[in-house]
Amino acid sequence: MSYTNSSVGSGSRTTGRTFEFGRTYVVRPKGKHQATVVWMHGLGDNGSSWSQLLESLPLPNIKWICPTAPTRPVAILGGFPCAAWFDVGELSENGPDDLEGLDASAAHIANLLSTEPSDVKLGIGGFSMGAATALYSATCFAHGKYGNGNPYPVNLRAIVGLSGWLPGASNVRNRIEGSHEAARRAASLPILLGHGLCDEVVPHIHGEKSFHALSLAGFRNLVFKPYDGVGHYTVPKEMDEVCNWLNTRLGL
């Protein structure tokens, strides 16, 4: 495992704010490099903890990139500053979304993937707020552009969202339906969602609503896995299913 120092990548700067992203941890493949997946942590966490878990998975052909979110005031915590991919005040498909923060994080993730070799398959995954950012990135890929209208630059082959939700869920269908190309990309992008039925932080209903919003918007290659007795965390069974799904979807 290695890391790079904090940096602001191109695309991390938007018209209003500049976001300082933290340290990025990289887990290099133990076998042939066939895929690269950026994995995003949850609120208040960092890339290090997830990099250690991902390094232990039996996926020798995947390179994992685990960035750390910028530290910013977060409304749901009463304005307390912590590592967050975007600002959030409530979990609601109709709630106000921090599109500027979402775009900056989605662009930072895409920039990390944009320098990977052309024959390597690219994916994005995350937990909780990281899952929300991964799902937002999926909608940007399908739409072909970020929320601010800038073009989305990379070709995604897989999305994993664990214990998360879909920001801007009520607008996704409108973004996709207006374009044949967007509909084609949405239909072809594999997405795996996993959620604990006893999650008290991001209740399971948000995972279900995200699944239905994506399905209505034309994302056809969707899997939703509920986990009995599981709260806001991952369990070995869930990570085993993530491994099997990535092996299949990425052809590893």
Short mmCIF file of all heavy atoms in Angstrom, two decimals, residues 133-169:
data_model
loop_
_atom_site.label_atom_id
_atom_site.label_comp_id
_atom_site.label_asym_id
_atom_site.label_seq_id
_atom_site.Cartn_x
_atom_site.Cartn_y
_atom_site.Cartn_z
N THR A 133 -21.78 9.19 -3.29
CA THR A 133 -20.95 9.85 -4.30
C THR A 133 -20.70 8.92 -5.48
O THR A 133 -20.66 9.37 -6.64
CB THR A 133 -19.62 10.31 -3.68
OG1 THR A 133 -19.90 11.01 -2.46
CG2 THR A 133 -18.86 11.23 -4.62
N ALA A 134 -20.56 7.62 -5.22
CA ALA A 134 -20.39 6.65 -6.31
C ALA A 134 -21.65 6.61 -7.18
O ALA A 134 -21.56 6.58 -8.42
CB ALA A 134 -20.10 5.27 -5.73
N LEU A 135 -22.82 6.62 -6.55
CA LEU A 135 -24.07 6.58 -7.32
C LEU A 135 -24.28 7.88 -8.09
O LEU A 135 -24.78 7.87 -9.22
CB LEU A 135 -25.25 6.30 -6.40
CG LEU A 135 -25.26 4.91 -5.74
CD1 LEU A 135 -26.46 4.76 -4.82
CD2 LEU A 135 -25.25 3.81 -6.79
N TYR A 136 -23.90 9.00 -7.48
CA TYR A 136 -23.97 10.27 -8.21
C TYR A 136 -23.05 10.22 -9.43
O TYR A 136 -23.42 10.67 -10.52
CB TYR A 136 -23.60 11.43 -7.30
CG TYR A 136 -23.66 12.78 -8.01
CD1 TYR A 136 -24.88 13.37 -8.30
CD2 TYR A 136 -22.49 13.44 -8.39
CE1 TYR A 136 -24.94 14.58 -8.98
CE2 TYR A 136 -22.54 14.65 -9.06
CZ TYR A 136 -23.77 15.22 -9.34
OH TYR A 136 -23.82 16.42 -10.03
N SER A 137 -21.85 9.65 -9.25
CA SER A 137 -20.91 9.51 -10.37
C SER A 137 -21.52 8.65 -11.48
O SER A 137 -21.32 8.93 -12.67
CB SER A 137 -19.60 8.89 -9.90
OG SER A 137 -18.92 9.73 -8.99
N ALA A 138 -22.26 7.61 -11.10
CA ALA A 138 -22.92 6.76 -12.10
C ALA A 138 -23.89 7.57 -12.94
O ALA A 138 -23.97 7.40 -14.17
CB ALA A 138 -23.64 5.61 -11.41
N THR A 139 -24.65 8.46 -12.30
CA THR A 139 -25.61 9.28 -13.06
C THR A 139 -24.89 10.28 -13.95
O THR A 139 -25.35 10.57 -15.05
CB THR A 139 -26.60 10.01 -12.12
OG1 THR A 139 -25.90 10.98 -11.33
CG2 THR A 139 -27.30 9.02 -11.21
N CYS A 140 -23.74 10.80 -13.49
CA CYS A 140 -22.95 11.72 -14.32
C CYS A 140 -22.40 11.00 -15.54
O CYS A 140 -22.41 11.53 -16.66
CB CYS A 140 -21.80 12.33 -13.51
SG CYS A 140 -22.32 13.45 -12.19
N PHE A 141 -21.90 9.77 -15.33
CA PHE A 141 -21.39 8.97 -16.45
C PHE A 141 -22.50 8.73 -17.48
O PHE A 141 -22.30 8.91 -18.68
CB PHE A 141 -20.84 7.64 -15.94
CG PHE A 141 -20.70 6.60 -17.02
CD1 PHE A 141 -19.71 6.73 -18.00
CD2 PHE A 141 -21.56 5.50 -17.08
CE1 PHE A 141 -19.59 5.78 -19.01
CE2 PHE A 141 -21.44 4.56 -18.07
CZ PHE A 141 -20.46 4.69 -19.04
N ALA A 142 -23.67 8.31 -17.00
CA ALA A 142 -24.78 8.04 -17.92
C ALA A 142 -25.20 9.30 -18.67
O ALA A 142 -25.39 9.28 -19.89
CB ALA A 142 -25.96 7.45 -17.16
N HIS A 143 -25.29 10.40 -17.94
CA HIS A 143 -25.72 11.66 -18.54
C HIS A 143 -24.65 12.23 -19.46
O HIS A 143 -24.96 13.02 -20.38
CB HIS A 143 -26.04 12.65 -17.42
CG HIS A 143 -26.78 13.87 -17.86
ND1 HIS A 143 -26.54 15.12 -17.35
CD2 HIS A 143 -27.77 14.03 -18.78
CE1 HIS A 143 -27.33 16.00 -17.94
NE2 HIS A 143 -28.09 15.37 -18.80
N GLY A 144 -23.38 11.85 -19.22
CA GLY A 144 -22.27 12.36 -20.02
C GLY A 144 -21.72 13.68 -19.52
O GLY A 144 -20.82 14.25 -20.13
N LYS A 145 -22.24 14.15 -18.39
CA LYS A 145 -21.77 15.43 -17.85
C LYS A 145 -22.10 15.52 -16.36
O LYS A 145 -22.98 14.82 -15.86
CB LYS A 145 -22.40 16.60 -18.60
CG LYS A 145 -23.92 16.65 -18.56
CD LYS A 145 -24.49 17.78 -19.43
CE LYS A 145 -24.44 17.44 -20.90
NZ LYS A 145 -25.15 18.43 -21.74
N TYR A 146 -21.35 16.36 -15.68
CA TYR A 146 -21.62 16.65 -14.28
C TYR A 146 -22.87 17.52 -14.17
O TYR A 146 -23.40 18.01 -15.17
CB TYR A 146 -20.43 17.37 -13.64
CG TYR A 146 -19.15 16.57 -13.66
CD1 TYR A 146 -18.14 16.87 -14.58
CD2 TYR A 146 -18.92 15.54 -12.75
CE1 TYR A 146 -16.96 16.14 -14.60
CE2 TYR A 146 -17.74 14.82 -12.76
CZ TYR A 146 -16.76 15.12 -13.69
OH TYR A 146 -15.59 14.41 -13.71
N GLY A 147 -23.30 17.74 -12.94
CA GLY A 147 -24.45 18.61 -12.72
C GLY A 147 -24.22 20.03 -13.23
O GLY A 147 -25.17 20.72 -13.61
N ASN A 148 -22.93 20.48 -13.23
CA ASN A 148 -22.62 21.84 -13.70
C ASN A 148 -22.47 21.93 -15.21
O ASN A 148 -22.17 23.01 -15.74
CB ASN A 148 -21.36 22.36 -13.00
CG ASN A 148 -20.12 21.50 -13.28
OD1 ASN A 148 -20.09 20.73 -14.24
ND2 ASN A 148 -19.11 21.64 -12.44
N GLY A 149 -22.66 20.80 -15.91
CA GLY A 149 -22.61 20.81 -17.37
C GLY A 149 -21.27 20.43 -17.97
O GLY A 149 -21.18 20.20 -19.19
N ASN A 150 -20.21 20.35 -17.17
CA ASN A 150 -18.91 19.94 -17.70
C ASN A 150 -18.94 18.46 -18.09
O ASN A 150 -19.60 17.66 -17.43
CB ASN A 150 -17.81 20.16 -16.66
CG ASN A 150 -17.55 21.64 -16.41
OD1 ASN A 150 -17.82 22.47 -17.27
ND2 ASN A 150 -17.02 21.97 -15.24
N PRO A 151 -18.23 18.09 -19.17
CA PRO A 151 -18.30 16.70 -19.64
C PRO A 151 -17.67 15.72 -18.65
O PRO A 151 -16.66 16.02 -18.02
CB PRO A 151 -17.51 16.73 -20.96
CG PRO A 151 -16.67 17.96 -20.90
CD PRO A 151 -17.42 18.95 -20.06
N TYR A 152 -18.30 14.54 -18.52
CA TYR A 152 -17.74 13.49 -17.67
C TYR A 152 -16.72 12.70 -18.49
O TYR A 152 -17.05 12.21 -19.58
CB TYR A 152 -18.85 12.57 -17.16
CG TYR A 152 -18.38 11.63 -16.08
CD1 TYR A 152 -18.27 12.06 -14.76
CD2 TYR A 152 -18.02 10.31 -16.37
CE1 TYR A 152 -17.82 11.22 -13.76
CE2 TYR A 152 -17.57 9.46 -15.38
CZ TYR A 152 -17.47 9.92 -14.08
OH TYR A 152 -17.01 9.08 -13.08
N PRO A 153 -15.47 12.53 -17.98
CA PRO A 153 -14.38 12.12 -18.87
C PRO A 153 -14.02 10.64 -18.92
O PRO A 153 -13.18 10.26 -19.73
CB PRO A 153 -13.20 12.90 -18.28
CG PRO A 153 -13.48 12.94 -16.81
CD PRO A 153 -14.98 13.02 -16.69
N VAL A 154 -14.60 9.78 -18.09
CA VAL A 154 -14.12 8.39 -18.07
C VAL A 154 -15.26 7.40 -18.34
O VAL A 154 -16.44 7.72 -18.14
CB VAL A 154 -13.43 8.02 -16.73
CG1 VAL A 154 -12.14 8.80 -16.56
CG2 VAL A 154 -14.35 8.25 -15.55
N ASN A 155 -14.87 6.21 -18.80
CA ASN A 155 -15.83 5.16 -19.13
C ASN A 155 -15.92 4.17 -17.97
O ASN A 155 -14.99 3.41 -17.72
CB ASN A 155 -15.39 4.43 -20.41
CG ASN A 155 -16.37 3.37 -20.82
OD1 ASN A 155 -17.56 3.47 -20.57
ND2 ASN A 155 -15.87 2.31 -21.46
N LEU A 156 -17.03 4.18 -17.25
CA LEU A 156 -17.18 3.34 -16.08
C LEU A 156 -17.74 1.97 -16.46
O LEU A 156 -18.62 1.86 -17.31
CB LEU A 156 -18.09 4.00 -15.05
CG LEU A 156 -17.60 5.34 -14.50
CD1 LEU A 156 -18.62 5.92 -13.53
CD2 LEU A 156 -16.24 5.18 -13.80
N ARG A 157 -17.25 0.93 -15.75
CA ARG A 157 -17.70 -0.43 -16.04
C ARG A 157 -18.39 -1.10 -14.86
O ARG A 157 -18.97 -2.17 -15.02
CB ARG A 157 -16.48 -1.27 -16.46
CG ARG A 157 -15.77 -0.76 -17.71
CD ARG A 157 -16.60 -0.96 -18.95
NE ARG A 157 -16.73 -2.37 -19.26
CZ ARG A 157 -15.87 -3.07 -20.00
NH1 ARG A 157 -14.80 -2.45 -20.52
NH2 ARG A 157 -16.07 -4.34 -20.25
N ALA A 158 -18.31 -0.49 -13.67
CA ALA A 158 -18.96 -1.09 -12.50
C ALA A 158 -19.08 -0.06 -11.39
O ALA A 158 -18.19 0.77 -11.19
CB ALA A 158 -18.17 -2.30 -12.00
N ILE A 159 -20.20 -0.13 -10.65
CA ILE A 159 -20.45 0.75 -9.51
C ILE A 159 -20.91 -0.11 -8.33
O ILE A 159 -21.78 -0.96 -8.48
CB ILE A 159 -21.56 1.79 -9.82
CG1 ILE A 159 -21.16 2.69 -11.00
CG2 ILE A 159 -21.89 2.62 -8.58
CD1 ILE A 159 -20.08 3.70 -10.70
N VAL A 160 -20.32 0.14 -7.15
CA VAL A 160 -20.75 -0.55 -5.93
C VAL A 160 -21.12 0.50 -4.88
O VAL A 160 -20.33 1.41 -4.60
CB VAL A 160 -19.65 -1.46 -5.36
CG1 VAL A 160 -20.13 -2.15 -4.08
CG2 VAL A 160 -19.21 -2.49 -6.39
N GLY A 161 -22.32 0.38 -4.31
CA GLY A 161 -22.75 1.31 -3.27
C GLY A 161 -23.28 0.55 -2.07
O GLY A 161 -24.31 -0.13 -2.16
N LEU A 162 -22.57 0.63 -0.94
CA LEU A 162 -22.96 -0.09 0.28
C LEU A 162 -23.48 0.89 1.32
O LEU A 162 -22.82 1.88 1.64
CB LEU A 162 -21.76 -0.86 0.84
CG LEU A 162 -21.04 -1.81 -0.12
CD1 LEU A 162 -19.91 -2.54 0.62
CD2 LEU A 162 -22.00 -2.80 -0.76
N SER A 163 -24.67 0.63 1.83
CA SER A 163 -25.27 1.42 2.93
C SER A 163 -25.37 2.90 2.58
O SER A 163 -25.10 3.76 3.40
CB SER A 163 -24.44 1.25 4.21
OG SER A 163 -24.29 -0.11 4.54
N GLY A 164 -25.75 3.18 1.35
CA GLY A 164 -25.79 4.57 0.90
C GLY A 164 -27.15 5.01 0.39
O GLY A 164 -28.18 4.42 0.70
N TRP A 165 -27.13 6.08 -0.39
CA TRP A 165 -28.35 6.63 -0.98
C TRP A 165 -27.97 7.36 -2.26
O TRP A 165 -26.80 7.58 -2.54
CB TRP A 165 -29.05 7.57 0.00
CG TRP A 165 -28.36 8.89 0.24
CD1 TRP A 165 -28.64 10.09 -0.36
CD2 TRP A 165 -27.28 9.15 1.14
NE1 TRP A 165 -27.81 11.07 0.11
CE2 TRP A 165 -26.96 10.52 1.04
CE3 TRP A 165 -26.53 8.36 2.04
CZ2 TRP A 165 -25.93 11.13 1.77
CZ3 TRP A 165 -25.50 8.96 2.76
CH2 TRP A 165 -25.22 10.32 2.63
N LEU A 166 -28.99 7.71 -3.04
CA LEU A 166 -28.76 8.40 -4.32
C LEU A 166 -29.09 9.87 -4.17
O LEU A 166 -30.27 10.23 -4.07
CB LEU A 166 -29.62 7.77 -5.42
CG LEU A 166 -29.59 8.46 -6.78
CD1 LEU A 166 -28.19 8.47 -7.37
CD2 LEU A 166 -30.58 7.78 -7.73
N PRO A 167 -28.09 10.76 -4.16
CA PRO A 167 -28.38 12.20 -4.11
C PRO A 167 -29.12 12.64 -5.38
O PRO A 167 -28.83 12.16 -6.47
CB PRO A 167 -26.98 12.84 -4.04
CG PRO A 167 -26.06 11.75 -3.61
CD PRO A 167 -26.64 10.49 -4.17
N GLY A 168 -30.05 13.55 -5.21
CA GLY A 168 -30.78 14.07 -6.37
C GLY A 168 -31.61 13.02 -7.07
O GLY A 168 -31.85 13.10 -8.28
N ALA A 169 -32.10 12.04 -6.30
CA ALA A 169 -32.82 10.91 -6.91
C ALA A 169 -34.03 11.35 -7.73
O ALA A 169 -34.34 10.76 -8.76
CB ALA A 169 -33.26 9.93 -5.81
#
